[in-house]
């Protein structure tokens, strides 16, 4: 689970009913309505209307795609 807006970090659990633990307290760094998807061999996280991260599926660290000049919302 990706938490933001009042919470923070990436969280995991063996069961949706409880036992949640923080996997990474520093990601995602900002952006609301964050969601994850995998396409081909890449993982992506979109955060609201301004944030976008990606990484190869086998890697652990996401790259800030917007900082690299790729903006899925084209500055809107």
């Amino acid at each position: 689970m990706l938490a933001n807006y009042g919470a923070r970090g990436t969280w995991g659990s063996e069961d949706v009913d409880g036992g949640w633990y923080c996997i990474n307290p520093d990601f995602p760094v900002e952006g609301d309505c964050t969601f994850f998807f995998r396409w081909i061999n890449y993982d992506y996280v979109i955060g609201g209307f301004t944030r976008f991260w990606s990484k190869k599926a086998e890697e652990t660290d996401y790259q800030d795609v917007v900082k690299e000049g790729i903006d899925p919302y084209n500055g809107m």
Side-chain angles (χ1 to χ4, degrees):
M1 175 176 68
L2 301 171
N4 230 321
Y5 193 77
R8 188 167 177 170
T10 304
W11 293 76
S13 176
E14 301 302 319
D15 188 336
V16 296
D17 290 328
W20 290 93
Y21 55 93
C22 188
I23 297 169
N24 184 346
D26 299 319
F27 184 81
V29 293
E30 59 185 36
D32 57 347
C33 302
T34 51
F35 68 93
F36 163 88
F37 66 97
R38 180 170 283 172
W39 186 32
I40 307 174
N41 293 323
Y42 285 84
D43 294 337
Y44 298 94
V45 174
I46 293 179
F49 293 103
T50 59
R51 308 300 301 179
F52 186 47
W53 299 274
S54 74
K55 68 176 186 68
K56 289 185 178 179
E58 66 274 1
E59 295 178 356
T60 57
D61 294 329
Y62 282 90
Q63 302 301 314
D64 189 333
V65 178
V66 174
K67 282 186 179 179
E68 294 174 6
I70 301 170
D71 183 356
Y73 294 101
N74 198 25
M76 299 185 81

